[in-house]
Amino acid sequence: MDIRYVELYQKAQAFGQEHLFRFYPSLSETAKDRLLDQVEQLDFAMLRELFHDMKQQSVSTGGISPMEAYDLEDYSEEERKRLADTGWDRLRQGKVAALVVAGGQGSRLGHEGPKGTYNIGTPSGKSLFQLQAERLLHLSRRAGRPIPWYIMTSPENHQETVRFFQASAYFGYDPDDIFFFRQHVLPALDSGGRVLLSAKDEIGLTPSGNGDVFASLKRSGALEDLKRRGVEWLFYYNVDNALIRIADPLFVGAAVHYNHPIATKVAEKAYPEEKVGILCLRNDRPAVVEYTDVPEELMYLTDSAGRLTYGLGNLSIHLFRTDFIERHADANLPYHAAHKAVKTIDGQGLLVQPATPNAYKFEKFIFDFFPLAERMTVLKIRREEEFAPVKNKEGQDSPATARRLVLDLHKRWLLEAGASPSLLEGRDIEISPSIPIRGKG
């Protein structure tokens, strides 16, 4: 009998994971080697600890206090220009890069493929990736130099994402200025803490969350690439925000001006129960509290002006100083457990897609880096200008709502530029990211 198999079986058995070898005798030699390679990489002790900690997990909301935010509406035109000029200066010096978290699939939208390849139905029919590439190309032309673009994929969609860019000739971007890298993965565990199989010879792995982004940057060599280029600020965003204003010079200028390690954009919550995390202070450190963890007495609390005391909604639009990223890339952030429906195989080896949650995924969140900074710059924006998430197939935060937000914004731009309202009435207008709009870039 294969010594390697015996050793790994005994190792798995010691942690109650011997089921991973249920189908081993029926596998081909190649498949056996593939399974053994994967099992060899598993840290069973860590997985047991994660599962145990999840069972003991309790969320504390003690020590929470409101956080100060600068409102863009309060800046004078002169101040806004000065900040934007500072941002443009850093862009022209090559001190700014962009990073998009794009590891998700479009399955919840009924789309086969990476979410970034999805078209929300605007007149141009462009994918989210194309719209973002064109925005960055426009900025690069105005800055007089390329803005490096780092794209974090997942093992599930990496190859398909790269092929999509290749087939599209990188949307005009120089491939040397795009850096694709994969995020880390962890096994999914069932309700008993057992590792799931996604095939007879394959461990069920799921992405370890956006909080793994800096460790993945470091592992892939992308962090070294950032340093080699002399990048000082990294703009971070999610691929599914159809209104994302990438590397906005005004935002960059504000981050540079206050020079805290992290800057973030927030928007006022639309209503107290809105499903968005809140930015606040916890024990005098910046933090985000997930909407599920906000107690009712804080959720509905208002100030003297009637505004929500804890109403700064986290939009996942951030700027990080590169030296902060380098210092904390390997920070020991907590894992958060999520109960999800994960594809697996049953006792007969047949693939099953459960309709209800059957497994726990473990993820790190980007906002858990916030407490590592003593202070951060918080800029309040109007969500209808910069935030149109595409999360659900229908209803709220769907392609339809995102499309409407995009088209309404572009129509407002034209009206502000002097276009006749009668000319625009009843028409859907989309403006290409490559067309300069005064004050919008």
Side-chain angles (χ1 to χ4, degrees):
M1 186 172 288
D2 189 324
I3 295 177
R4 185 178 177 223
Y5 161 75
V6 172
E7 289 178 346
L8 288 174
Y9 181 87
Q10 290 174 346
K11 176 185 172 184
Q13 189 178 43
F15 289 90
Q17 303 284 359
E18 65 271 17
H19 66 284
L20 295 174
F21 295 97
R22 180 188 303 151
F23 304 103
Y24 186 84
S26 64
L27 299 177
S28 67
E29 292 305 312
T30 301
K32 286 180 179 178
D33 286 340
R34 184 163 52 245
L35 179 62
L36 292 176
D37 287 343
Q38 291 180 64
V39 173
E40 197 167 35
Q41 297 299 314
L42 296 181
D43 186 338
F44 288 119
M46 184 200 75
L47 292 174
R48 182 167 67 182
E49 186 177 339
L50 276 180
F51 187 74
H52 174 77
D53 289 348
M54 177 198 71
K55 291 297 186 182
Q56 309 300 317
Q57 217 171 56
S58 62
V59 178
S60 170
T61 54
I64 288 180
S65 58
M67 193 171 189
E68 181 185 12
Y70 302 104
D71 194 328
L72 269 180
E73 300 296 318
D74 294 338
Y75 287 94
S76 68
E77 188 173 338
E78 183 182 345
E79 288 171 325
R80 290 166 66 97
K81 182 181 183 305
R82 188 164 57 246
L83 291 176
D85 286 346
T86 299
W88 277 116
D89 178 65
R90 294 308 187 277
L91 286 161
R92 292 186 182 107
Q93 292 181 38
K95 302 298 184 183
V96 183
L99 184 152
V100 58
V101 176
Q105 291 291 92
S107 50
R108 283 180 64 184
L109 306 173
H111 173 67
E112 290 299 319
K115 190 179 280 190
T117 67
Y118 186 70
N119 157 29
I120 64 170
T122 55
S124 69
K126 294 173 183 176
S127 66
L128 290 167
F129 275 140
Q130 182 170 355
L131 292 171
Q132 293 161 22
E134 290 181 1
R135 164 68 178 163
L136 280 165
L137 283 168
H138 174 60
L139 274 181
S140 297
R141 282 194 292 270
R142 291 189 63 185
R145 65 186 304 151
I147 298 169
W149 194 13
Y150 298 85
I151 300 173
M152 187 170 80
T153 65
S154 63
E156 181 183 15
N157 77 4
H158 182 83
Q159 293 299 334
E160 195 171 355
T161 298
V162 173
R163 283 195 296 267
F164 184 75
F165 272 77
Q166 290 171 340
S168 306
Y170 298 89
F171 308 107
Y173 230 89
D174 186 336
D176 290 340
D177 293 318
I178 299 181
F179 197 120
F180 298 96
F181 67 101
R182 296 176 179 87
Q183 71 181 112
H184 190 49
V185 289
L186 281 174
L189 306 181
D190 69 14
S191 58
R194 300 192 309 167
V195 174
L196 293 186
L197 285 170
S198 58
K200 293 180 180 180
D201 61 345
E202 192 172 303
I203 303 294
L205 299 171
T206 60
S208 56
N210 52 34
D212 185 60
V213 60
F214 297 151
S216 297
L217 267 177
K218 184 177 179 179
R219 279 193 300 266
S220 67
L223 181 54
E224 277 303 313
D225 189 70
L226 275 169
K227 291 165 58 183
R228 177 182 63 80
R229 293 173 183 267
V231 172
E232 294 179 356
W233 288 95
L234 183 62
F235 180 89
Y236 168 102
Y237 71 100
N238 293 342
V239 75
D240 60 7
N241 182 356
L243 275 181
I244 187 66
R245 193 173 288 181
I246 309 172
D248 168 21
L250 181 59
F251 184 36
V252 173
V256 171
H257 174 73
Y258 295 106
N259 201 33
H260 299 312
I262 309 171
T264 189
K265 287 184 174 182
V266 296
E268 289 283 357
K269 290 178 68 174
Y271 48 92
E273 307 86 356
E274 185 180 10
K275 295 181 178 180
V276 60
I278 59 165
L279 201 73
C280 59
L281 294 175
R282 175 183 274 157
N283 301 322
D284 295 322
R285 289 275 183 162
V288 169
V289 176
E290 286 285 66
Y291 68 91
T292 51
D293 300 327
V294 179
E296 279 198 15
E297 64 269 20
L298 296 185
M299 184 181 295
Y300 295 99
L301 191 65
T302 58
D303 61 18
S304 57
R307 291 187 298 263
L308 291 173
T309 303
Y310 294 95
L312 300 181
N314 174 38
L315 307 180
S316 201
I317 305 173
H318 315 304
L319 271 165
F320 292 93
R321 268 196 348 227
T322 306
D323 62 340
F324 176 86
I325 294 173
E326 187 174 16
R327 188 177 309 117
H328 297 292
D330 295 318
N332 187 27
L333 299 186
Y335 279 100
H336 301 259
H339 202 202
K340 299 286 185 178
V342 178
K343 284 188 291 188
T344 186
I345 57 172
D346 61 18
Q348 285 69 50
L350 300 175
L351 188 64
V352 176
Q353 175 60 72
T356 56
N358 66 316
Y360 293 96
K361 297 168 59 176
F362 296 91
E363 300 176 311
K364 294 179 178 181
F365 295 156
I366 189 73
F367 56 67
D368 281 326
F369 281 103
F370 292 1
L372 300 179
E374 281 190 33
R375 294 187 65 191
M376 59 189 286
T377 304
V378 183
L379 204 61
K380 194 185 298 184
I381 62 166
R382 295 169 62 182
R383 68 166 65 204
E384 63 270 22
E385 294 184 350
E386 301 190 42
F387 189 59
V390 185
K391 304 286 186 186
N392 308 309
K393 188 174 182 179
E394 297 174 336
Q396 191 175 8
D397 296 342
S398 66
T401 59
R403 180 172 61 252
R404 191 70 267 152
L405 283 165
V406 170
L407 298 178
D408 286 350
L409 177 63
H410 291 184
K411 186 175 290 187
R412 284 200 303 276
W413 285 355
L414 288 175
L415 291 171
E416 290 168 8
S420 168
S422 60
L423 184 65
L424 303 180
E425 189 175 352
R427 300 177 67 183
D428 284 337
I429 306 294
E430 180 184 7
I431 300 174
S432 168
S434 60
I435 296 175
I437 303 293
R438 183 175 175 80
K440 308 303 179 187

